[in-house]
Amino acid sequence: MDSKLVLAVDVFDADYALDLSRKLSDELFAVKINWPLMMVKGASIISELSKYSKVICDLKVADIPNTNALIAGKAAEMGAWGIVSHSIIGKDSLQAVASISEDLRVFSVVAMSNKGASQYIYPHTDELIEMSRELGVYGLIAPGNDYEMLSRIKRQAGKMKVMAPGVGAQGGSAGEAVRNGADLVVVGRAIYNADDPLAAARAFNDEISKVISLEKE
Ligand code: XMP
């Protein structure tokens, strides 16, 4: 299936993460892992999940270039399809991630879905987008619960894909996120905590499909 849905598997139970990724694989563009799962399973979970889906490592890399390169290099070695990196740390640090491998797509954080992001990151979003473009990164992270910011980022993204967390538990709607420019929609708790995660994933996909069909009319 040609899905825009990215499942954030922020759980400590690796068996549940693997089971969910296998069962939902037809509904997903990718699974996204973050520190909770990495902390209990280590980097080997990347290759285990890769059997079922593309894996995006949302490690929000935010360190000096050497450390960033070590982390991103390990993600690439374990078979990650993509990685999320902060950009606000500076061009040298983002470049270290972007230079690892063409097979490791980098998503650069230029705004975030938490309220506090408006304090320091939002005032620099336009510069961070420009820097990300100069470095040739694959995609940008934009808030899927702040449609004004999301569409502003999309207007400036050009060829860069826009991935939007903030949908479901953080209040954003998948349909509105796509209508406002999300190429990929990240959903975590609203799927992995649902009584029926498969039905929940299908419902998000239906919502997205409706918006895409309306746009084609
Ligand atoms: P929930 O459960 O809120 O999970 O659907 C969302 C997932 O996405 C991550 N997240 C973000 N990552 N920029 C990012 O790079 C953001 O603005 C952002 N907001 C949420 C969150 O850590 C979780 O994995």
Side-chain angles (χ1 to χ4, degrees), residues 32 41 52 60 74 86 144 172 174 182 184 192 208 213:
K32 185 179 83 62
K41 276 299 278 186
Y52 308 117
K60 296 211 183 56
K74 180 54 80 177
H86 268 297
L184 296 171
Y192 67 70
I208 292 169
S213 328

Side-chain angles (χ1 to χ4, degrees), residues 175-186:
E176 282 305 301
V178 168
R179 225 164 54 80
N180 285 281
D183 298 296
L184 296 171
V185 174
V186 176

Side-chain angles (χ1 to χ4, degrees), residues 8 10 32 34 58 60 84 109 112-113 141 165 167 170 188-189:
D10 298 327
K32 185 179 83 62
N34 204 321
D58 185 359
K60 296 211 183 56
V84 177
V109 176
M112 287 195 64
S113 59
I141 305 284
V167 167
Q170 293 179 75
R189 286 164 285 178

Side-chain angles (χ1 to χ4, degrees), residues 8 69 90 92 104 106 109 120 128 136 162-163 171 179 214:
D92 54 352
L104 184 68
V106 178
V109 176
Y120 296 115
L128 296 176
V162 173
M163 180 158 74
R179 225 164 54 80
L214 279 175

Side-chain angles (χ1 to χ4, degrees), residues 42-79:
S44 64
I45 191 68
I46 300 170
S47 48
E48 286 186 59
L49 287 167
S50 298
K51 291 179 206 148
Y52 308 117
S53 175
K54 298 181 186 82
V55 177
I56 299 172
C57 294
D58 185 359
L59 302 176
K60 296 211 183 56
V61 192
D63 216 308
I64 58 168
N66 183 62
T67 310
N68 275 4
L70 290 172
I71 296 168
K74 180 54 80 177
E77 186 191 318
M78 300 309 281

